[in-house]
């Protein structure tokens, strides 16, 4: 679990770096033992709509291998969320644009698509 949470924090740092570090980065990690939930939120700037597919596609990344980001292989967040939970909800909003949500559950993981 530790490395999965760290991977998601690394992703927030990468997005913040890619988006130009225009403000101080804040990352919150809330562990709710009673409800068995983990919530990781940040103000890194979000993912643009055209990049949403890369969040859930193995091997896909928006990071430049020559850039100053942490992740370059495009597998970390996918492995992290699956290792952490059976039901995953990813919410993102690029800057002040529209918010998007991706839900990942067992039926999604078992689908050949």
């Amino acid at each position: 679990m530790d490395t999965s949470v760290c991977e998601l924090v690394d992703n927030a740092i990468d997005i913040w770096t890619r988006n130009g570090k225009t403000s101080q980065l804040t990352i919150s990690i809330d562990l709710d033992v009673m409800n068995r939930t983990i919530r990781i939120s940040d103000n890194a700037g979000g993912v643009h709509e055209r990049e949403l597919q890369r969040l859930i596609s193995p091997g896909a990344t928006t990071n430049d291998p020559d850039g100053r980001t942490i992740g370059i292989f495009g597998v970390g967040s996918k492995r992290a969320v699956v290792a952490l939970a059976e039901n995953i909800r990813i919410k993102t909003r690029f800057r002040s644009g529209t918010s998007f949500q991706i839900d990942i559950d067992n039926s999604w993981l078992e689908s050949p698509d």
Side-chain angles (χ1 to χ4, degrees):
M1 181 174 106
D2 295 345
T3 55
S4 294
V5 171
C6 290
E7 176 61 36
L8 298 174
V9 169
D10 288 350
N11 288 347
I13 295 168
D14 283 347
I15 290 170
W16 178 69
T17 300
R18 224 178 36 245
N19 286 337
K21 304 178 189 177
T22 56
S23 62
Q24 181 174 340
L25 178 62
T26 302
I27 301 171
S28 299
I29 302 170
D30 298 312
L31 303 173
D32 185 335
V33 176
M34 193 77 135
N35 291 315
R36 299 178 56 180
T37 61
I38 300 170
R39 177 182 298 228
I40 301 171
S41 56
D42 61 69
N43 66 340
V47 176
H48 195 281
E49 179 180 10
R50 68 178 171 263
E51 298 172 347
L52 290 175
Q53 185 66 30
R54 294 181 186 183
L55 286 178
I56 57 172
S57 297
T61 183
T62 57
N63 292 340
D64 179 359
D66 298 326
R68 304 187 114 182
T69 54
I70 298 167
I72 59 170
F73 298 109
V75 295
S77 62
K78 292 88 169 167
R79 291 178 59 199
V81 295
V82 172
L84 286 171
E86 289 181 14
N87 295 306
I88 299 124
R89 178 169 290 146
I90 300 170
K91 295 181 181 181
T92 188
R93 182 182 70 237
F94 183 70
R95 297 190 177 140
S96 60
T98 303
S99 295
F100 295 95
Q101 177 174 310
I102 300 170
D103 293 308
I104 301 171
D105 58 16
N106 283 335
S107 63
W108 183 88
L109 291 171
E110 293 169 1
S111 170
D113 295 334

